[in-house]
Amino acid sequence: MKYIVAIIQPGRLAAVHEALVAIGIEGLTTSEVQGYGRQKGKTEVYRGTEYTVNFLPKVKIEIAVPGDIAEKACDAIKSAAETGKIGDGKVFVLDLDSALRIRTGEIGVAAL
Ligand SMILES: Nc1ncnc2c1ncn2[C@@H]1O[C@H](COP(=O)(O)OP(=O)(O)OP(=O)(O)O)[C@@H](O)[C@H]1O
Ligand SMILES: [Mg+2]
């Protein structure tokens, strides 16, 4: 199993959600977060200016998926989240050791 953490532009959440549902993802978690990447929150960079760190609003999406679905899920996120502009976000993929559905006690892929 893999745990996918995607940081995207808030305005792309609906499209990414739709794309994930379309490939059969049955559960996900989202949260409103703030962050910055290489541009340190600046959308324009001028030579010689001193950078000030500005946290920009982003949406974090977290999904636990069977290992063989991870690549498909990342592709779906990329396609739906991409505007081609700086700040489109990142996708991180982590190994997931275990999962448990509390109601039934199911574990592993059956718990997803
Ligand atoms: N190394 C990182 N670790 C954790 N979160 C990150 C990291 N880099 C970026 N993020 C998160 O992703 C968001 C979007 O980052 P962003 O797309 O601007 O990255 P970038 O490397 O600057 O790429 P780009 O050049 O396309 O802007 C950030 O606001 C931050 O929340
Ligand atoms: Mg950036």
Side-chain angles (χ1 to χ4, degrees), residues 6 8 11 13 22 44 46-47 56 59 63 65-67 69 74-75 81 85 89 96 98-100 102 109-111:
I8 63 166
L13 175 60
E44 296 179 15
Y46 296 98
R47 198 182 301 178
L56 295 174
V59 164
I63 47 174
V65 296
I69 301 298
C74 289
D75 290 347
K85 297 184 185 141
L96 180 60
S98 67
L100 163 69
I102 291 172
V109 171

Side-chain angles (χ1 to χ4, degrees), residues 73-107:
C74 289
D75 290 347
I77 293 168
K78 183 185 188 301
S79 298
E82 189 168 26
T83 71
K85 297 184 185 141
I86 59 171
D88 271 357
K90 292 194 178 163
V91 181
F92 305 109
V93 181
L94 294 72
D95 288 327
L96 180 60
D97 289 339
S98 67
L100 163 69
R101 177 172 285 115
I102 291 172
R103 178 176 60 85
T104 60
E106 290 163 289
I107 57 167

Side-chain angles (χ1 to χ4, degrees), residues 6-9 33-41 54-58 84-90 92:
I7 314 290
I8 63 166
Q9 295 282 19
V33 296
Q34 294 187 310
Y36 64 89
R38 284 183 305 194
Q39 290 79 22
K40 303 197 170 6
N54 290 314
F55 293 94
L56 295 174
K58 302 286 173 182
K85 297 184 185 141
I86 59 171
D88 271 357
K90 292 194 178 163
F92 305 109

